[in-house]
Amino acid sequence: MGAALHRAGVLLYDLMAAAGRTGGRGGVPHHRHLTRRGALREAPGLDPDLITGALQYYDGRMDDARLTLAVARTAAANGAVVLSHAPVVGVLRDGPRVAGVTVEADGGRFDITASVVVNAAGVWAADVQAMAGPPTFAVQPAKGVHLLVDQGAFDSRTGILARAEDSVIILRKWFGHWLLGTTDTAYDGDRRAPAVEREDVDYLLRNVNRYLARPLSRDDVLGTFAGLRPLLAPVARDAATTSALSRDHTVVEEPAGMVTVVGGKYTTYRRMARDAVDAVGRALRTALPRCPTADLPLVGAPGWAAVANRVPRLAAEHGVDEAHVRRMLHRYGDELSDVLAPVRTDPALGRPIPGADGYLPVEFRRSVTHEGARTLADVLHRRTHLAIERSDGGLAAAPAVAALLAPLLGWDATGRRGRWRRTGRTWNAIAQASRRDTGQILGPQRGEHRRDRRPRGVARGEPDEVPLRGSSSAELGPVTRDRRKGCQSVTSGTLEPLLVITPRLPSTAAMPRPPRRRCRRAPPRPGARSCARAEHLRRSPGRRPWIYRAEPVTSVA
């Protein structure tokens, strides 16, 4: 049954990819079936004694933090005013109707009035609605944990997807490393910073190691991060299980003047936006223009292909290694030339900082000038992956990065030292807690929410205005549009293959013997004999391994 569902799922992928192609070109490559030998050729690191075959398909690689950032920048480019580090602390009322919100920023509070308030606060959605009156729904946060694993720990040209104890597990390529995930457990802790527990790490390593020739260990883990999914909770909920809760989104149009959208997934965020805007039109009792999200590319995407053709020239013009420029293409898209422009006047911005070899200083600078970063944690955790890619959490590079950002953010020398020292104390505390075996995994945590990135508290003394400009993309290549779903998908540059593993079935000799069944065609006669025959399932030549099923039959003498 599981294999049939996998085949049906990837066939649907193929149909969606074909329907979304632009001009009959591009799209996602079709899936293919692999024999045991073919699967091991793609992934030599798999256990040859366990694998009988696999199914390979392609999926888009995604950086959740940068995708969320790109959505905000696209909104800014279309006239929106974006304010980060500003949590909602109250709701304004005009009689029975919601008339705005009170936010907290830079140590003060101020009111923002609105005809309709859209509540898209993720795991805080029920809390925000409760500020306006009795809540009409509940949210059950579900924690998902990922581990970033060293690239050399698994010998493979492709990622893998396989059965876990209660779900599936994925080990996939992710920006020069392996990304292992995910868990799915109910969470009732601090929603601002969900912790990665030892049980989470043990679960992921235990399940993936069932399929590997060389098991992964904690020494292979570079960093961890956790996120919370806002799931609508049933009336009688099981506090230990969230995998059965719905991932579909819901739009709630009460109380008057407030529209709440909750649930959903990244793959349907454009559909969610359209449904929310339609609900706003109903709340205003007016006809709004058609929601343009189905045809609106994210910033950085429209001219991606043209910039890709110029990568060697851009590298030569700016004196930057071509490998860095090609990597940055998938982060900034058609804004790449603008990102590299400061290198012309300051060549040092094109040379990596010690301890941060995977990034150029101009990228840290861009985090502040165009991406709204206001703290060192913003830059190391959310605008880049440095905090989870390095075993030291990026501490070696933190002083140099802080010095680079200080003139842009108005930090003095004392403030700069304080910021990176606070960062160091936080990460060292996590490390010490881990060594005391208190339950937290060694190393820094990304500490950001995949479904809803609510900003943390604002550090005092930082500037009031940091631009969040409509520029830069989020790991995007050219996009194709599926108008029926109102979404966009990557067509090149960020596709990664995944193997759906077919493990070896248990020996039929070790299985409990099934009860005898009489032949339905005729009643048994005297002298009838019982036997068992091996009946194989049909297969296409070279497509999938032979699978045998022992089935009792009755032969008639």
Side-chain angles (χ1 to χ4, degrees):
M1 183 66 178
L5 289 176
H6 285 151
R7 289 195 297 274
V10 295
L11 178 60
L12 181 61
Y13 263 46
D14 290 348
L15 295 176
M16 292 170 61
R21 290 177 182 174
T22 302
R25 297 175 298 171
V28 181
H30 283 195
H31 77 278
R32 58 175 182 154
H33 294 267
L34 299 176
T35 62
R36 174 179 177 275
R37 180 178 299 178
L40 294 175
R41 185 165 52 246
E42 291 289 322
L46 293 174
D47 184 356
D49 295 331
L50 180 72
I51 306 303
T52 63
L55 182 152
Q56 187 178 60
Y57 73 101
Y58 287 78
D59 203 355
R61 181 185 62 187
M62 185 184 111
D63 181 338
D64 56 350
R66 295 200 63 83
L67 176 60
T68 303
L69 186 62
V71 171
R73 286 180 177 151
T74 304
N78 284 270
V81 177
V82 181
L83 180 64
S84 63
H85 291 272
V88 172
V89 295
V91 171
L92 305 178
R93 301 294 296 263
D94 182 8
R97 187 178 180 85
V98 174
V101 296
T102 300
V103 301
E104 185 176 67
D106 293 319
R109 295 188 176 189
F110 58 93
D111 296 338
I112 302 175
T113 60
S115 300
V116 177
V117 172
V118 176
N119 171 18
V123 292
W124 289 275
D127 298 338
V128 173
Q129 191 196 47
M131 295 179 187
T136 60
F137 63 92
V139 172
Q140 170 60 67
K143 185 176 74 171
V145 170
H146 283 85
L147 311 182
L148 199 67
V149 179
D150 183 75
Q151 186 178 26
F154 177 47
D155 182 15
S156 178
R157 295 184 296 183
T158 178
I160 61 172
L161 183 152
R163 293 280 301 176
E165 295 166 5
D166 55 0
S167 183
V168 296
I169 195 166
I170 301 178
L171 180 64
R172 65 184 306 160
K173 292 184 177 182
W174 201 69
F175 307 104
H177 305 282
W178 292 104
L179 187 66
L180 174 60
T182 180
T183 62
D184 193 346
T185 55
Y187 183 78
D188 58 1
D190 184 0
R191 286 171 289 178
R192 293 173 300 175
V196 178
E197 307 292 342
R198 286 187 175 274
E199 292 77 8
D200 300 323
V201 179
D202 291 341
Y203 170 87
L204 293 172
L205 294 179
R206 179 174 68 252
N207 279 277
V208 76
N209 284 339
R210 296 163 52 193
Y211 303 97
L212 306 185
R214 173 195 174 276
L216 301 180
S217 69
R218 290 177 178 268
D219 293 336
D220 297 315
V221 179
L222 300 176
T224 68
F225 65 93
L228 299 179
R229 308 178 185 94
L231 307 180
L232 286 175
V235 175
R237 65 187 183 191
D238 182 351
T241 303
T242 61
S243 59
L245 299 185
S246 174
R247 266 62 176 169
D248 295 337
H249 70 275
T250 299
V251 177
V252 180
E253 301 181 39
E254 54 182 332
M258 176 176 284
V259 171
T260 299
V261 56
V262 65
K265 301 175 289 185
Y266 266 121
T267 50
T268 59
Y269 79 92
R270 290 180 182 263
R271 176 63 180 270
M272 295 168 64
R274 189 191 70 184
D275 291 348
V277 170
D278 291 345
V280 168
R282 291 191 293 270
L284 293 174
R285 297 182 180 180
T286 185
L288 298 179
R290 186 184 68 87
C291 181
T293 186
D295 303 311
L296 182 66
L298 296 181
V299 289
W304 191 95
V307 176
N309 293 330
R310 298 174 52 216
V311 164
R313 183 186 301 176
L314 289 173
E317 290 176 352
H318 295 86
V320 177
D321 187 275
E322 185 176 333
H324 275 296
V325 177
R326 196 166 298 281
R327 173 188 58 80
M328 293 169 66
L329 170 69
H330 296 289
R331 290 174 63 83
Y332 303 104
D334 62 14
E335 297 291 330
L336 181 57
S337 298
D338 187 46
V339 176
L340 292 172
V343 179
R344 291 180 180 272
T345 56
D346 186 358
L349 294 175
R351 295 190 292 269
I353 293 174
D357 299 338
Y359 301 93
L360 299 182
V362 73
E363 297 179 74
F364 299 123
R365 184 182 186 276
R366 183 80 171 188
S367 298
V368 171
T369 60
H370 287 70
E371 297 177 355
R374 305 187 61 179
T375 67
L376 192 58
D378 282 346
V379 175
L380 300 183
H381 283 255
R382 304 175 188 93
R383 305 306 188 269
T384 68
H385 308 145
L386 189 61
I388 59 173
E389 289 177 338
R390 308 283 296 193
S391 58
D392 66 349
L395 286 179
V401 175
L404 178 67
L405 302 182
L408 303 172
L409 291 170
W411 299 342
D412 56 22
T414 302
R416 183 171 69 244
R417 287 194 297 270
R419 280 170 176 81
W420 75 260
R421 284 175 178 171
R422 284 198 300 272
T423 303
R425 284 198 299 270
T426 300
W427 293 339
N428 287 335
I430 293 174
Q432 292 171 7
S434 178
R435 294 188 185 100
R436 291 195 301 269
D437 198 23
T438 58
Q440 286 187 314
I441 181 63
L442 175 65
Q445 299 175 16
R446 197 171 182 181
E448 54 195 12
H449 306 283
R450 214 174 308 130
R451 296 289 180 256
D452 40 276
R453 300 180 184 282
R454 182 172 180 170
R456 299 186 183 181
V458 179
R460 300 296 183 263
E462 295 184 353
D464 294 342
E465 296 184 3
V466 178
L468 182 64
R469 301 179 183 173
S471 58
S472 181
S473 64
E475 311 296 348
L476 290 177
V479 293
T480 60
R481 302 182 181 93
D482 185 343
R483 298 177 184 272
R484 295 168 301 172
K485 291 185 173 292
C487 65
Q488 295 181 332
S489 60
V490 178
T491 60
S492 69
T494 58
L495 289 176
E496 297 289 352
L498 285 174
L499 285 183
V500 180
I501 295 175
T502 305
R504 188 176 299 280
L505 297 178
S507 170
T508 57
M511 293 182 180
R513 187 172 181 179
R516 289 190 175 188
R517 296 196 296 269
R518 294 178 181 272
C519 178
R520 295 181 180 179
R521 292 186 177 181
R525 303 178 192 174
R529 294 174 297 174
S530 297
C531 65
R533 70 178 182 183
E535 176 180 280
H536 67 265
L537 302 178
R538 295 183 60 188
R539 70 178 180 104
S540 301
R543 288 285 182 165
R544 52 176 293 195
W546 295 104
I547 301 177
Y548 291 88
R549 179 179 62 197
E551 181 175 82
V553 297
T554 300
S555 65
V556 180

